[in-house]
Amino acid sequence: MKKRPLKILTAGGGSGGHVTPISAVITELRTLSPGSRIYLWTDFKFYASAKKLIDSRSRGVKISRIFAGKFRRYSGFTAADYLKNPLIILLNFRDLFLIFLGFIQSFIKLIILRPDIIFLKGGYVCLPVGVVARMFNIPFVIHDSDTVPGLTNRFLSGYATRIATGMPLENYNYPESKARYTGIPTAQAFTPVGLKTRRELKTSLGFNSAKPLVFITGGGLGAKRINESAIHQLEHLLPITSIALVTGTEHFDEIKSSLDTTKHPDFKIFAFLSGNYVDHLQAADIVVARAGATAIIELANAAKPAIIIPNAQLPGRHQVKNADFLKRHNAAVIVPDELIANDPAALTRAVKKLLDDPERRSRLSSQIHTLARPDSATQVAQLVLDTIRR
C-alpha cells in the first residue's frame, strides 16, 4: 500500500528573521523527504514579504495568513511610561482580540489540514498554532534563535515535542532531554567569496566594482534610526563608498520620496530584498545590520566584517545580548543604538575607520566565521522528520 505524502506545517512571522530560516528548512525537508506537502502560516502584516521571500527560494509552498497579536513591552519602560503612552495600552488590548481570532482560525485550519508535524520558528503567530496543536495532540518543534528566548517560545516550550536552539544550550533553561543545539538555519548560498567574485557581483548589481560597497539593512521590517543615520550622512559616506540601503517596507515610500536617487549613482535603496539578498550581502565589503540572531548567522556563514547596531528597546534586550556575544568573540564592531540616535555621524566614523583598516576587516571576517554552522538547516529538518517517527 502506497504511503500518503507527509503533511508538514511551518509557521513564523513578524520579521525576516523568522521566515528566512523557515525557507532554508523547507529546502532541506524537500531533499530529505521528497513528495512531502509543505505549508507556511504567517501573520497578516508580514504576509507580503514572507510570500515574496518564500516564492523566490521555495516555490510550491502554500502560504496562509493567521491573525496574530503583539504584546508590546519595551526594555526600560516603567508603568508610568506606559501610562504616558496610552496608545501602547490600547494597541495591546486590540491585539488581545486578534490573538483570540488567531486561536479560532488555527482551530478550524488544523482540523482541516491535520499535519503530521509542525515546525514553529517564532513570532506571535506561533502562539495560537502551538496551543491548538497541543489540544489536538499534533507534535511540534520550536526553534529559538536568540540568546534570550522570546515570550511565545517560553510559553510553548513546555508543550513542544522537541526544541532546537540557535545558540549553545547553556544560554537557555530548556530541558536537555528535548533540546538540541542546531544553530540557525540559513540558505546554503551564504558562503564566503573572494575579491574577484565581490567585484563581479558589484558590477552585476549596478555598483562601481572598484569602489567599496557598504550594505546597510535593518532587516525585513527596517530600522528607523539606522535609515535616518544613513540618509543624514549620505554626503559624507558616498565620497568613500557605494551604499545599498534596505529600509524596510514601512519606511521605503517616505525615504524614497525625500531623495533624488538619480543624483547618487553609487546609492541604491530597497524596501525589501528577497531573490538577490545573498548577492548584495556577498558583494559588500562591510555590512551594517541590527543584532538579530538570523542576521548574525548569515554574516557568520558569509564571513562578513560587520558593524552591528543592536536595538536596545526590544523585550529582554536580546539584541544587546546578541551583540555582547559578538563583542566577546571579537567578531564585529558594536555601535550602540542610542549613539547613532544622538550623533548620526557615528555611523560614518565607524564605516570610515573600518574601510581604512583592511587588516581589521580580515580579522573580523575570520572571527565571525568561527560562529558559522552551515549545516543548521539540515539538522533542523532532520530533527523535524525524526520527531514524526518518535
Side-chain angles (χ1 to χ4, degrees):
M1 183 176 174
K2 188 176 179 180
K3 289 184 178 179
R4 68 170 178 80
L6 290 174
K7 290 182 182 180
I8 303 174
L9 172 62
T10 65
S15 73
H18 293 139
V19 178
T20 52
I22 290 176
S23 174
V25 171
I26 287 173
T27 299
E28 296 304 311
L29 285 170
R30 283 179 161 166
T31 300
L32 296 171
S33 181
S36 293
R37 295 175 182 171
I38 304 176
Y39 306 81
L40 168 64
W41 292 358
T42 190
D43 59 288
F44 277 75
K45 186 175 181 179
F46 201 69
Y47 174 80
S49 295
K51 182 168 174 50
K52 187 182 295 184
L53 191 151
I54 293 293
D55 285 348
S56 70
R57 301 182 185 181
S58 309
R59 290 191 177 277
V61 176
K62 186 174 181 180
I63 307 175
S64 301
R65 286 166 279 203
I66 296 288
F67 286 105
K70 179 179 180 180
F71 183 54
R72 293 161 182 80
R73 299 163 295 138
Y74 301 101
S75 181
F77 261 47
T78 64
D81 291 321
Y82 288 105
L83 291 174
K84 291 176 186 175
N85 296 273
L87 181 60
I88 297 174
I89 299 172
L90 290 173
L91 288 173
N92 280 341
F93 274 110
R94 181 206 65 179
D95 282 15
L96 283 174
F97 177 69
L98 294 178
I99 292 170
F100 175 72
L101 290 179
F103 275 103
I104 294 175
Q105 198 177 11
S106 297
F107 188 90
I108 295 170
K109 289 172 75 69
L110 283 178
I111 285 177
I112 296 170
L113 182 60
R114 280 288 179 173
D116 296 286
I117 186 73
I118 303 175
F119 173 58
L120 301 177
K121 178 58 199 80
Y124 294 100
V125 70
C126 293
L127 178 63
V129 182
V131 171
V132 176
R134 172 68 175 178
M135 291 170 56
F136 290 153
N137 202 29
I138 301 171
F140 65 87
V141 176
I142 65 174
H143 184 280
D144 221 320
S145 294
D146 295 295
T147 53
V148 180
L151 182 61
T152 297
N153 274 0
R154 290 203 302 272
F155 181 83
L156 292 178
S157 61
Y159 307 112
T161 311
R162 298 298 301 271
I163 302 170
T165 68
M167 300 294 175
L169 293 182
E170 58 262 28
N171 291 286
Y172 308 89
N173 292 320
Y174 295 141
E176 290 189 10
S177 59
K178 61 179 179 179
R180 183 193 296 179
Y181 171 38
T182 61
I184 302 166
T186 59
Q188 295 290 338
F190 288 98
T191 56
V193 297
L195 178 60
K196 182 175 182 292
T197 302
R198 281 208 311 275
R199 287 178 173 171
E200 290 172 350
L201 285 169
K202 287 176 191 177
T203 300
S204 69
L205 295 170
F207 294 101
N208 184 342
S209 63
K211 196 173 182 181
L213 172 63
V214 176
F215 182 41
I216 304 175
T217 173
L221 297 178
K224 185 175 176 62
R225 283 184 176 176
I226 294 178
N227 291 340
E228 290 174 348
S229 179
I231 297 303
H232 184 275
Q233 290 292 298
L234 271 184
E235 62 180 88
H236 302 290
L237 287 167
L238 288 176
I240 59 174
T241 183
S242 301
I243 296 174
L245 172 64
V246 180
T247 65
T249 52
E250 289 185 5
H251 311 291
F252 178 76
D253 290 337
E254 180 183 353
I255 293 175
K256 181 79 171 176
S257 63
S258 69
L259 293 171
D260 182 359
T261 53
T262 60
K263 292 182 179 180
H264 305 289
D266 292 329
F267 173 65
K268 297 186 186 300
I269 182 173
F270 309 92
F272 182 78
L273 284 173
S274 51
N276 60 356
Y277 174 83
V278 177
D279 290 343
H280 282 82
L281 188 77
Q282 290 181 324
D285 295 275
I286 295 172
V287 178
V288 178
R290 283 298 198 195
T294 300
I296 288 171
I297 205 65
E298 289 171 349
L299 293 169
N301 287 354
K304 281 297 164 184
I307 297 170
I308 300 296
I309 305 172
N311 186 338
Q313 288 191 315
L314 294 178
R317 292 172 62 84
H318 68 266
Q319 285 205 5
V320 173
K321 293 176 182 178
N322 290 347
D324 288 343
F325 179 82
L326 289 176
K327 190 174 182 179
R328 290 196 303 273
H329 286 81
N330 297 311
V333 175
I334 309 301
V335 178
D337 190 47
E338 57 270 22
L339 178 59
I340 66 164
N342 297 320
D343 179 15
L347 178 60
T348 300
R349 291 195 298 271
V351 168
K352 190 175 189 306
K353 189 174 181 179
L354 204 48
L355 286 175
D356 290 342
D357 194 343
E359 289 186 8
R360 190 182 187 199
R361 293 204 307 274
S362 179
R363 287 196 304 272
L364 290 174
S365 174
S366 297
Q367 284 299 109
I368 199 167
H369 195 50
T370 64
L371 307 176
R373 291 180 70 90
D375 66 338
S376 294
T378 303
Q379 286 198 45
V380 173
Q382 190 63 63
L383 181 63
V384 169
L385 293 174
D386 288 346
T387 302
I388 300 175
R389 303 177 185 126
R390 286 170 65 85

